[in-house]
Amino acid sequence: MMTKKTISASRASLILFLCQMITALEVPLDLSQPPTITQQSPKDYIVDPRENIVIQCEAKGKPPPSFSWTRNGTHFDIDKDARVTVKPNSGTLVINIMNGGKAEAYEGVYQCTARNERGAAISNNIVIRPSRSPLWTKEKVEPKHVREGDPLVLHCSPPVGLPPPIIFWMDNSFQRLPQNERVSQGLNGDLYFSNVKPEDTREDYICYARFNHTQTIQQKQPISVKVFSTKPLTERRPTLLTPVGSTSNKVELRGNVLLLECIAEGLPTPVIRWIKEGGELPINRTFFENFKKTLKIIEVSEADSGKYKCVARNPLGSTHHTITVTVKAAPYWITAPRNLVLSPGEDGTLICRANGNPKPNISWLTNGVPIAIAPEDPSRKVDGDTIIFSDVQERSSAVYQCNASNEYGYLLANAFVNVLAEPPRILTPANKLYQIIANNPALLDCAFFGSPVPEIEWFKGVKGSILHGDLYVFHDNGTLEIPVAQKDSTGTYTCVARNKLGKVQNEVHLEVKDPTMIIKQPEYKIIQKGGQVSFECTIKHDRTLMPTITWLKDNGELPVDERFIIHKDSLAIMNVTDKDDGTYTCVANTTLDSVSASAVLTVVDRPDPPFDLELTDQLERSIQLSWIPGYDNNSPITNFVIEYEDGMREPGVWHYQTEVHGTQTTVQLKLSPYVNYSFRVIAVNEIGRSQPSEASEQYLTKAAKPDENPSGVQGIGSEPDNLVIIWEPLKGFQSNGPGLQYKVSWRQKDVGDEWTSVIVANVSKYIVSGTPTFVPYEIKVQALNDLGYAPEPAEVIGHSGEDLPMVAPGNVQVHIVNSTLAKVHWDPVPLKTVRGHLQGYRIYYWKVQSLSKRRRRHVEKKILTFSGNKTHGMLPGLEPYSSYKLNVRVVNGKGEGPASPDKLFKTPEGVPSSPSFLKISNPTLDSLTLEWGPPTHPNGVLIAYTLKFQPINSTHELGPLIEIRIPANETSLILSNLNYSTRYKFYFYAQTSVGSGSQITEEAVTIMDEGKLVRPVYPRIRNVTASAAETYANISWEYEGPDHVNFYVEYGVAGSKEDWKKEIVNGSRSFFVLKGLTPGTSYKVRVGAEGLSGFVSSEDVFETGPAMASRQVDIATQGWFIGLMCAVALLILILLIVCFIRRNKGGKYPVKEKEDAHADPEIQPMKEDDGTFGEYSDAEDHKPLKKGSRTPSDRTVKKEDSDDSLVDYGEGVNGQFNEDGSFIGQYSGKKEKEPAEGNESSEAPSPVNAMNSFV
């Protein structure tokens, strides 16, 4: 919020107009003028009798006036009294009392007269009275004996003082006696009891009277009150103690404070209500005091006259009293006479009008003498409250007094008539500068004097014309008002005053400034205690004004504290405390205006802890807790958390009991027997939790029988011949008393046995031995203590221990669903033979041999478990065209039963995998030679191969597709009658009787010239193979294409429609280990290269091994392995050093030497600038070809040349792997391979590299 301290144009004009009007009527002191009283003592002047009496009378005039005094209507000869002196150049009297004088001797009515040659002015009648503070008269105060419930009035009756004393009641310890609706002090000082209570008994009811003028306090004798009780108390309807009767009258003077009082007695204590008959109590001027027993109306006027009724009421009835109020009025001015300055021959009037109740009498005096006996003046005529002057002359100068009086007081006013002949004079200083803020009124003074009264004109600028019109307001005192000054109002203004005796002018200057504005005001802030906060205050101001910014807190100065940091445009408060809460105001002051903006800072914090905890309504199982909330620190309390402590079992440990809403301060708490409770309360608001309150008093509940029994009762067997009964024991005070034990009972179900019971100590388990195997038992556990048993517990069913199942499932049947899926059926075993909880059936199955390869393989059994009492299950992930065996076993909690007889079944043929490779060689002008390998997984008997191919033109558009069927026993084909210098795309796949398998694709180009051999354009990945273990698989491949590509491996469950999962291969190596696979699952896999869009290999399918429990030796902990690794690490270090030395010498690696020795003339070297291959060209066609890879001309990378193939380690693809993918086969003694070419020499194959690639 922003406020601007300005005064409205109309109000500013009015104030200045009135002030300057008075100034215009004042005669300059260098001119002759009658006396004017400027200062005098009050009419009713009460003086301190211990100090000197000073009676003021000051006046001005030309020549300076002389002073005289009257006392009690006669001349007071000051010179004859040595104690009386007059201040120099003044009429003020000083009466010396302090040196033995008595103030009483100078009581009386004093009046001062100031006189010079042009007239005499008089003061009011000043009544001098010394203050009095008399002592209480001696009296014997009798003790008051009052019956309980009766009314009582203790009279004060203070001595009459001047002015009247202030009355109050206290005790011997100078402590004020408490007052309320029942006990209160009346306006007369008496102490009223509507009804007394035993606690009112005391011996020191003391009334004190304080006399402010003399600063003394008088004390009445103590009053003793003794209240005696009588039962029962008799209730009664109200009656009034004061005022008496049903009606009374009250007269009050206009402008005073009206006080009306009604005090009633009764039992119960009455309540007072005030009404005005026939009207409403005045708004904003009515107040209720003394517990509504006193009606107070301030600034009363004649309109407040009327009947006021007080009504006292209690449940037994009511009474009332009517007070008739009459408002009278001492005289008050309507128009007071004002000084009149006239030039010889002019006319004028003095008007004296006053009002009052009753209407005042108006009388005139001249120079202090009643006008009726004053010297005659032909120029004046008295007409009631008006004196009319005509054709005045210099002798007409005089001072006139108007006296308006009635029975309640008088008014006296002096006004002179001064006859002068004076040319104009301007009293405003010349060249006065006025500075105001734009859009505010500008008031330019031209205070003047002259007789006769001059005429005033205003001009703007040096040669400006006279000002007039709606833009200006011309006041009678000479002031020029510009109601809304703008920037163009700036300039010089000339005031001209003229009368018949002369002319005078004066210049003043006006500057209009831009207003000061706060363009960024402080904003409301909520901050947590201990934080810091900043209020911004950015101002914009006139560049010629220098503003000052002051910060206020709650409209007062900022605290003197180094935490308050004032910057140019902001106020920062560090480490805020709760005392910083309040309103902060930024005040921007200039010499012309002031603007301010305020914002409230609310400091919030966690609540203060509750206090005054009290326990009430104490019962065996419940208690009421009440408390008083602490201060919420400006964040409302949302809830209270009640905690308890068990002083008997866990002293010092507090537990949650309950919580209630933040508006509650009491709660009924449920209790448990045999607990020594203490409680505490924590208040919670949005900021956090308060500190806990102080602990309540302790409360020990009586012991009782347990209310509840243990939970979680179970009966299970740990051995075939026992029953283990377990339960969750009772906790803490759930025992309800000392000596907690448990009664454990059991009996075999459905055989009619009696319950067998034992009582055990506070444990949680009991073992019953010698039970039959897996039979149901009824079990119950009952709590008891020294006072008795808990209620009868519920029974639960348990079983004795399990044993292995006795029989195998029968009638096992296998239904072949497809080449990879079979459904198995079996007959369930009798439940009695399970001898335990039936958990399900488990199928063991394994592959005996592949029907296509006719060779046996290592048996890897796979296991599938089917929960519950199922009689069938599905076997997924089978290999097509294979022979399998299986058996079925039943499973209980103890383990597996015997296996069913092995069941042999065969899977039908499926579609084959893609051919293992497709190699295109011997390109001629019109032919290409194709060679291929059979599918890795034929999945049946191959019946044929299908080759499809089509040409690709220069815009990569595909031509017509040609299909050729090839016998299954063929491994190569020469395609003839092809177009020369044409690129072809080939699609090649195998077929079984079931259908076609995955295809492999290749591209090749026929040559244009028999003398040139065109190498392949597009890269390719082929011969993707997978070697799988239980939860991982090693994937390897062959690559032809550009160097330094990044490979990725994609895989998924075979036959699934889920998206491929993608793994990035680290570096450009040609193998990768897939981890985290599911045992016994068929997967599909393919390899791609990053950056070659759509470039992926053909798919391969593999199956992980079955989950098998085996004891594996951690190879990393074997001594021989550690030694071998150290030796390998040393060899690698030596190899790296040698390579580094050879490279620095510029030597060639063996691969480089080999390439140099067998360079292919058709392969251009790489460009040194960008690392790209050269272009293929001939004499006729210079079209650039796609970038190729450095591969042999037959477009193959032989498998035996692949540095990273796992075949080189251990048992090749049949090698064994740990579950983490580490290779554990024996390292073979194969000869060292040639290092890889170029910068890939760091990837030279070694057992260590092979190991690292799997980690």
Side-chain angles (χ1 to χ4, degrees):
M1 60 183 174
M2 185 169 72
T3 60
K4 189 166 183 176
K5 298 178 182 176
T6 58
I7 300 175
S8 67
S10 58
R11 184 169 180 178
S13 302
L14 179 60
I15 293 173
L16 190 57
F17 171 71
L18 293 176
C19 293
Q20 295 189 343
M21 203 63 178
I22 295 171
T23 304
L25 294 176
E26 290 198 8
V27 181
L29 285 177
D30 62 336
L31 299 177
S32 297
Q33 57 184 292
T36 300
I37 300 291
T38 58
Q39 192 172 2
Q40 56 183 316
S41 293
K43 294 178 181 179
D44 191 6
Y45 189 17
I46 300 174
V47 298
D48 189 336
R50 300 167 299 181
E51 298 180 353
N52 291 338
I53 301 173
V54 177
I55 309 175
Q56 291 184 324
C57 181
E58 303 290 342
K60 65 177 182 178
K62 181 69 175 182
S66 60
F67 297 90
S68 62
W69 285 87
T70 62
R71 178 183 174 192
N72 296 328
T74 61
H75 177 67
F76 183 34
D77 194 347
I78 297 171
D79 297 333
K80 292 184 177 180
D81 193 332
R83 295 186 177 277
V84 180
T85 58
V86 179
K87 288 185 177 181
N89 303 318
S90 169
T92 298
L93 295 181
V94 178
I95 304 174
N96 190 345
I97 301 297
M98 300 180 67
N99 293 326
K102 291 186 178 182
E104 291 81 359
Y106 292 92
E107 283 190 73
V109 180
Y110 293 79
Q111 189 173 42
C112 170
T113 301
R115 186 186 307 275
N116 69 8
E117 62 187 29
R118 285 190 170 253
I122 60 176
S123 70
N124 292 321
N125 288 328
I126 302 171
V127 179
I128 301 296
R129 294 185 295 170
S131 174
R132 297 183 179 87
S133 53
L135 299 175
W136 252 289
T137 57
K138 294 286 186 179
E139 62 176 329
K140 184 177 181 180
V141 180
E142 296 291 337
K144 305 286 187 181
H145 295 271
V146 192
R147 182 174 57 189
E148 183 181 0
D150 285 357
L152 174 65
V153 179
L154 300 183
H155 297 286
C156 180
S157 304
V160 178
L162 186 66
I166 297 172
I167 306 300
F168 50 94
W169 290 80
M170 294 197 297
D171 59 15
N172 274 332
S173 301
F174 296 100
Q175 298 297 316
R176 286 187 178 269
L177 296 175
Q179 298 187 26
N180 48 45
E181 290 184 341
R182 186 178 63 86
V183 182
S184 61
Q185 177 183 316
L187 294 175
N188 61 357
D190 293 346
L191 191 63
Y192 293 86
F193 295 76
S194 294
N195 51 77
V196 296
K197 294 183 176 181
E199 57 261 32
D200 296 327
T201 298
R202 64 189 308 151
E203 297 180 351
D204 56 351
Y205 286 94
I206 305 173
C207 181
Y208 289 86
R210 184 174 67 208
F211 298 92
N212 283 343
H213 263 69
T214 59
Q215 295 296 309
T216 58
I217 297 177
Q218 305 290 353
Q219 174 183 334
K220 185 181 177 73
Q221 290 293 323
I223 302 173
S224 174
V225 173
K226 184 173 183 180
V227 179
F228 58 90
S229 299
T230 58
K231 299 293 184 179
L233 295 178
T234 302
E235 294 185 343
R236 62 187 182 278
R237 62 183 296 169
T239 59
L240 289 174
L241 297 175
T242 185
V244 297
S246 60
T247 61
S248 61
N249 297 300
K250 172 81 171 181
V251 175
E252 191 56 78
L253 293 182
R254 179 181 182 271
N256 286 355
V257 176
L258 173 65
L259 294 173
L260 304 179
E261 180 181 57
C262 276
I263 301 178
E265 62 90 8
L267 187 67
T269 302
V271 176
I272 304 297
R273 186 169 63 92
W274 290 90
I275 58 176
K276 182 180 182 182
E277 294 184 357
E280 298 290 334
L281 295 174
I283 300 174
N284 299 329
R285 294 190 294 115
T286 301
F287 303 92
F288 298 99
E289 297 180 345
N290 196 21
F291 310 99
K292 292 193 175 180
K293 299 174 186 179
T294 302
L295 171 65
K296 177 180 178 181
I297 302 176
I298 62 174
E299 298 177 1
V300 294
S301 65
E302 290 86 341
D304 296 321
S305 297
K307 292 184 177 182
Y308 293 81
K309 179 187 289 187
C310 68
V311 179
R313 185 184 303 277
N314 72 4
L316 276 72
S318 64
T319 187
H320 67 273
H321 183 92
T322 302
I323 305 173
T324 302
V325 174
T326 302
V327 178
K328 298 291 186 178
Y332 55 91
W333 291 118
I334 296 176
T335 304
R338 296 200 291 185
N339 294 337
L340 188 60
V341 178
L342 300 173
S343 63
E346 283 190 320
D347 302 334
T349 58
L350 287 178
I351 300 173
C352 177
R353 289 175 184 165
N355 201 358
N357 187 7
K359 189 171 181 64
N361 178 52
I362 303 294
S363 61
W364 288 96
L365 299 86
T366 180
N367 295 327
V369 178
I371 201 166
I373 60 174
E376 287 288 337
D377 184 350
S379 64
R380 72 170 180 246
K381 176 184 178 183
V382 179
D383 184 8
D385 58 7
T386 303
I387 300 179
I388 302 171
F389 297 93
S390 57
D391 192 22
V392 295
Q393 300 301 320
E394 187 173 352
R395 63 179 182 276
S396 300
S397 297
V399 181
Y400 292 84
Q401 290 84 32
C402 173
N403 185 298
S405 60
N406 65 11
E407 58 186 284
Y408 298 107
Y410 73 93
L411 293 173
L412 178 67
N414 290 280
F416 63 68
V417 175
N418 194 15
V419 180
L420 292 173
E422 285 292 327
R425 63 170 69 180
I426 293 178
L427 307 178
T428 299
N431 295 310
K432 184 176 181 179
L433 175 63
Y434 293 89
Q435 295 179 323
I436 58 101
I437 298 297
N439 299 316
N440 284 312
L443 298 166
L444 309 183
D445 293 338
C446 184
F448 63 89
F449 182 80
S451 185
V453 176
E455 293 181 359
I456 303 297
E457 292 177 333
W458 281 94
F459 300 85
K460 182 179 180 183
V462 178
K463 297 181 180 180
S465 59
I466 187 170
L467 299 179
H468 58 81
D470 297 336
L471 297 178
Y472 304 96
V473 177
F474 303 95
H475 295 281
D476 291 341
N477 64 351
T479 297
L480 170 66
E481 177 182 352
I482 307 173
V484 183
Q486 302 295 334
K487 294 286 284 185
D488 58 4
S489 301
T490 299
T492 300
Y493 292 80
T494 303
C495 165
V496 177
R498 60 165 58 89
N499 65 10
K500 62 183 181 181
L501 299 178
K503 168 186 171 184
V504 67
Q505 69 180 36
N506 186 37
E507 290 183 351
V508 296
H509 307 282
L510 174 63
E511 292 180 357
V512 181
K513 308 288 186 179
D514 291 325
T516 304
M517 295 183 294
I518 298 180
I519 58 176
K520 191 163 188 179
Q521 304 180 26
E523 297 177 348
Y524 174 70
K525 295 290 179 68
I526 298 177
I527 191 70
Q528 188 172 350
K529 183 179 178 181
Q532 66 182 49
V533 67
S534 177
F535 291 107
E536 292 187 83
C537 182
T538 305
I539 67 169
K540 179 182 178 182
H541 60 92
D542 191 283
R543 59 185 180 84
T544 63
L545 301 176
M546 296 302 296
T548 59
I549 296 180
T550 305
W551 287 91
L552 305 176
K553 180 180 184 295
D554 297 330
N555 295 322
E557 294 183 355
L558 285 180
V560 180
D561 193 328
E562 60 183 9
R563 297 182 301 107
F564 289 79
I565 303 173
I566 299 177
H567 300 289
K568 177 183 177 182
D569 296 325
S570 64
L571 167 67
I573 308 174
M574 317 301 291
N575 191 21
V576 173
T577 69
D578 49 7
K579 293 182 180 178
D580 299 331
D581 196 277
T583 300
Y584 289 83
T585 304
C586 164
V587 181
N589 288 307
T590 67
T591 54
L592 300 182
D593 65 347
S594 175
V595 291
S596 64
S598 299
V600 174
L601 172 63
T602 300
V603 180
V604 297
D605 198 8
R606 298 182 299 169
D608 292 343
F611 57 94
D612 281 359
L613 272 64
E614 183 179 6
L615 298 176
T616 56
D617 298 344
Q618 299 175 355
L619 303 175
E620 289 187 3
R621 293 296 183 100
S622 69
I623 198 168
Q624 180 170 288
L625 173 66
S626 59
W627 62 89
I628 298 176
Y631 180 51
D632 64 6
N633 287 314
N634 295 320
S635 180
I637 296 174
T638 57
N639 58 298
F640 292 99
V641 177
I642 293 88
E643 297 180 338
Y644 70 90
E645 173 197 38
D646 182 2
M648 184 186 306
R649 297 176 183 84
E650 296 180 296
V653 180
W654 292 89
H655 302 275
Y656 173 86
Q657 171 89 8
T658 187
E659 60 184 86
V660 297
H661 192 269
T663 57
Q664 284 186 237
T665 57
T666 61
V667 63
Q668 198 75 20
L669 301 175
K670 293 182 179 180
L671 306 180
S672 295
Y674 198 54
V675 180
N676 192 14
Y677 281 102
S678 291
F679 299 97
R680 70 183 187 185
V681 183
I682 299 171
V684 182
N685 63 10
E686 288 187 357
I687 309 305
R689 295 161 62 101
S690 72
Q691 292 295 320
S693 67
E694 294 291 332
S696 70
E697 59 182 308
Q698 290 188 330
Y699 179 63
L700 177 62
T701 55
K702 295 180 180 179
K705 295 183 294 184
D707 293 326
E708 53 188 310
N709 288 301
S711 60
V713 178
Q714 298 181 53
I716 55 177
S718 60
E719 297 295 337
D721 61 348
N722 74 4
L723 172 67
V724 180
I725 302 173
I726 61 175
W727 60 89
E728 187 72 28
L730 299 183
K731 296 180 180 179
F733 48 70
Q734 290 177 311
S735 64
N736 284 4
L740 177 64
Q741 294 178 302
Y742 300 100
K743 179 182 178 182
V744 184
S745 304
W746 68 93
R747 68 180 178 186
Q748 191 171 340
K749 189 174 184 296
D750 299 332
V751 297
D753 288 351
E754 295 293 326
W755 287 97
T756 302
S757 302
V758 296
I759 294 179
V760 298
N762 189 10
V763 294
S764 61
K765 180 172 71 173
Y766 182 77
I767 301 176
V768 180
S769 302
T771 63
T773 300
F774 196 69
V775 295
Y777 277 85
E778 295 176 315
I779 304 167
K780 57 184 179 180
V781 181
Q782 186 177 25
L784 67 149
N785 61 18
D786 292 350
L787 281 80
Y789 286 86
E792 185 67 22
E795 299 174 9
V796 298
I797 303 300
H799 288 82
S800 56
E802 299 179 78
D803 206 347
L804 293 175
M806 298 173 62
V807 299
N811 193 24
V812 177
Q813 301 292 330
V814 179
H815 172 67
I816 303 300
V817 179
N818 56 39
S819 61
T820 61
L821 180 66
K823 185 175 184 180
V824 183
H825 292 266
W826 60 88
D827 290 341
V829 300
L831 290 179
K832 290 185 178 180
T833 65
V834 177
R835 299 200 295 179
H837 294 286
L838 176 62
Q839 292 188 356
Y841 290 87
R842 188 167 292 163
I843 300 177
Y844 283 76
Y845 66 102
W846 60 96
K847 181 179 176 181
V848 177
Q849 67 178 18
S850 172
L851 298 179
S852 61
K853 296 182 179 179
R854 298 296 179 182
R855 65 180 178 87
R856 293 186 177 273
R857 53 173 290 173
H858 175 70
V859 176
E860 296 178 356
K861 290 188 176 181
K862 301 180 181 181
I863 304 171
L864 286 177
T865 300
F866 300 91
S867 301
N869 194 18
K870 288 191 174 181
T871 59
H872 65 274
M874 305 296 288
L875 299 183
L878 302 177
E879 291 186 16
Y881 204 51
S882 299
S883 177
Y884 280 88
K885 284 185 179 181
L886 64 79
N887 59 53
V888 185
R889 312 176 193 197
V890 67
V891 183
N892 67 9
K894 190 73 173 178
E896 298 176 351
S900 67
D902 290 348
K903 184 75 174 179
L904 179 65
F905 67 96
K906 298 179 180 179
T907 56
E909 289 186 81
V911 297
S913 64
S914 61
S916 57
F917 68 88
L918 175 62
K919 181 172 64 173
I920 304 175
S921 59
N922 300 327
T924 66
L925 288 173
D926 62 350
S927 69
L928 291 169
T929 301
L930 277 67
E931 297 178 278
W932 60 86
T936 306
H937 300 285
N939 294 337
V941 178
L942 296 180
I943 61 174
Y945 292 100
T946 299
L947 173 66
K948 296 180 180 180
F949 63 96
Q950 58 191 148
I952 306 174
N953 62 19
S954 59
T955 60
H956 304 284
E957 294 178 348
L958 297 175
L961 188 66
I962 303 172
E963 181 175 335
I964 301 175
R965 187 175 177 87
I966 305 170
N969 58 351
E970 295 291 339
T971 59
S972 64
L973 175 68
I974 297 176
L975 281 179
S976 302
N977 300 319
L978 302 177
N979 297 326
Y980 72 93
S981 188
T982 302
R983 186 182 307 117
Y984 288 90
K985 186 167 186 178
F986 298 91
Y987 312 88
F988 191 68
Y989 54 88
Q991 291 173 295
T992 64
S993 60
V994 176
S996 301
S998 301
Q999 69 182 12
I1000 183 171
T1001 63
E1002 277 293 353
E1003 292 187 15
V1005 181
T1006 56
I1007 64 174
M1008 186 173 186
D1009 188 346
E1010 289 286 359
K1012 294 182 180 180
L1013 181 65
V1014 179
R1015 67 189 189 100
V1017 176
Y1018 287 104
R1020 66 176 179 173
I1021 297 174
R1022 64 180 187 173
N1023 294 341
V1024 177
T1025 59
S1027 179
E1030 187 175 325
T1031 59
Y1032 59 92
N1034 179 61
I1035 312 299
S1036 61
W1037 59 89
E1038 295 177 1
Y1039 168 69
E1040 298 175 4
D1043 294 339
H1044 309 300
V1045 296
N1046 293 319
F1047 298 106
Y1048 61 86
V1049 176
E1050 293 183 318
Y1051 67 100
V1053 177
S1056 171
K1057 294 183 179 179
E1058 296 180 358
D1059 293 338
W1060 292 81
K1061 298 180 181 178
K1062 187 175 182 179
E1063 298 285 348
I1064 303 299
V1065 178
N1066 185 17
S1068 58
R1069 60 192 181 190
S1070 57
F1071 64 89
F1072 187 76
V1073 177
L1074 291 176
K1075 301 178 182 178
L1077 305 179
T1078 303
T1081 305
S1082 291
Y1083 285 91
K1084 56 184 179 181
V1085 65
R1086 65 187 184 187
V1087 180
E1090 295 283 351
L1092 300 176
S1093 177
F1095 174 61
V1096 293
S1097 70
S1098 58
E1099 297 178 18
D1100 189 29
V1101 178
F1102 66 90
E1103 182 178 349
T1104 54
M1108 298 181 63
S1110 62
R1111 298 182 59 188
Q1112 294 183 348
V1113 177
D1114 189 352
I1115 189 173
T1117 62
Q1118 301 301 302
W1120 65 266
F1121 179 76
I1122 296 174
L1124 178 61
M1125 290 298 100
C1126 292
V1128 170
L1130 181 60
L1131 288 174
I1132 291 174
L1133 179 61
I1134 294 172
L1135 178 63
L1136 291 175
I1137 294 173
V1138 172
C1139 292
F1140 180 78
I1141 293 173
R1142 292 192 63 186
R1143 175 172 291 182
N1144 287 343
K1145 290 181 178 180
K1148 297 181 179 179
Y1149 293 117
V1151 172
K1152 179 64 177 175
E1153 293 173 355
K1154 188 175 180 180
E1155 288 179 349
D1156 293 344
H1158 301 88
D1160 191 331
E1162 294 296 323
I1163 300 178
Q1164 298 299 320
M1166 293 179 65
K1167 295 180 181 180
E1168 293 185 359
D1169 56 350
D1170 60 1
T1172 61
F1173 290 101
E1175 299 177 348
Y1176 296 100
S1177 64
D1178 60 17
E1180 296 179 10
D1181 189 353
H1182 297 279
K1183 295 179 181 179
L1185 298 178
K1186 295 284 184 180
K1187 296 177 183 178
S1189 61
R1190 291 191 184 181
T1191 57
S1193 59
D1194 62 357
R1195 301 182 49 79
T1196 64
V1197 177
K1198 296 182 180 179
K1199 190 171 184 177
E1200 56 268 28
D1201 290 337
S1202 175
D1203 292 336
D1204 294 311
S1205 173
L1206 289 174
V1207 178
D1208 292 337
Y1209 308 110
E1211 299 179 6
V1213 297
N1214 296 319
Q1216 298 297 307
F1217 299 87
N1218 284 330
E1219 291 186 1
D1220 62 355
S1222 60
F1223 185 66
I1224 63 173
Q1226 295 294 328
Y1227 301 121
S1228 66
K1230 294 201 174 186
K1231 64 180 181 180
E1232 181 179 346
K1233 300 292 181 182
E1234 292 184 73
E1237 68 178 54
N1239 293 331
E1240 294 181 359
S1241 62
S1242 60
E1243 293 290 334
S1246 71
V1248 176
N1249 281 347
M1251 293 294 294
N1252 289 339
S1253 68
F1254 301 141
V1255 176

